[in-house]
């Protein structure tokens, strides 16, 4: 069974930085993950893209975080990190790690983490 373990959430003052990490693990061999990254959901709002990275390194960023957040991946370890800089109060949300098209011995599917809270206070 595949699990996505998220870490690094917490509270930070506006203007500060946080780093989120996500690791995919499984009792079976993971052969690859097409896209890996982060979405977020603030109270009363829809879930939105934060940042995703393709296996080959292409990236996608939400407009609101472009220039402030940086995503990275280690394909050999099935991990993804999100460096969040110049944080704003509106970045407050639950951040979800996503592994899209994760391929293992059972086939492929998408997986979501449980979410980690990020709170930015003024």
């Amino acid at each position: 069974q595949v699990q996505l373990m998220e870490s690094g959430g917490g509270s930070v003052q506006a203007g500060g930085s946080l780093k989120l990490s996500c690791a995919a693990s499984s009792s079976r061999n993971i052969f690859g993950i097409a896209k890996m990254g982060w979405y977020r959901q603030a109270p009363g709002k829809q879930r939105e893209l934060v940042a995703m990275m393709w296996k080959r390194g292409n990236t996608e960023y939400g407009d609101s975080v472009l220039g402030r957040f940086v995503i990275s991946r280690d394909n050999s370890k099935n991990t993804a990190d999100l460096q969040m800089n110049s944080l704003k109060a509106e970045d407050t949300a639950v951040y979800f790690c996503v592994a899209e098209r994760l391929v293992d011995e059972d086939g492929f599917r998408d997986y979501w983490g449980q979410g980690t809270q990020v709170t930015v206070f003024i």
Side-chain angles (χ1 to χ4, degrees):
Q1 183 168 348
V2 174
Q3 287 188 320
L4 298 184
M5 296 297 294
E6 301 145 326
S7 61
S11 297
V12 65
Q13 192 168 19
S17 298
L18 279 176
K19 184 177 181 179
L20 303 182
S21 296
C22 177
S25 63
S26 176
S27 57
R28 295 178 175 270
N29 291 320
I30 297 176
F31 299 125
I33 304 172
K35 290 172 67 175
M36 196 169 181
W38 302 86
Y39 277 70
R40 70 186 182 187
Q41 188 166 21
K45 295 188 176 182
Q46 289 188 329
R47 195 167 291 188
E48 64 174 356
L49 168 71
V50 178
M52 296 290 285
M53 180 177 272
W54 289 88
K55 190 175 182 179
R56 294 185 178 184
N58 302 62
T59 56
E60 303 172 44
Y61 288 95
D63 290 342
S64 62
V65 308
L66 196 61
R68 299 186 297 122
F69 292 10
V70 179
I71 188 171
S72 59
R73 274 183 70 170
D74 186 332
N75 293 328
S76 66
K77 297 179 180 179
N78 296 316
T79 60
D81 292 335
L82 183 69
Q83 178 65 45
M84 305 185 293
N85 301 318
S86 302
L87 282 160
K88 305 175 182 180
E90 49 264 43
D91 293 318
T92 295
V94 177
Y95 285 68
F96 296 91
C97 178
V98 182
E100 291 189 8
R101 202 174 176 90
L102 183 150
V103 183
D104 63 11
E105 294 172 45
D106 288 331
F108 64 88
R109 56 164 286 189
D110 298 343
Y111 292 89
W112 288 77
Q114 293 295 312
T116 185
Q117 177 69 45
V118 171
T119 302
V120 183
F121 57 91
I122 300 174

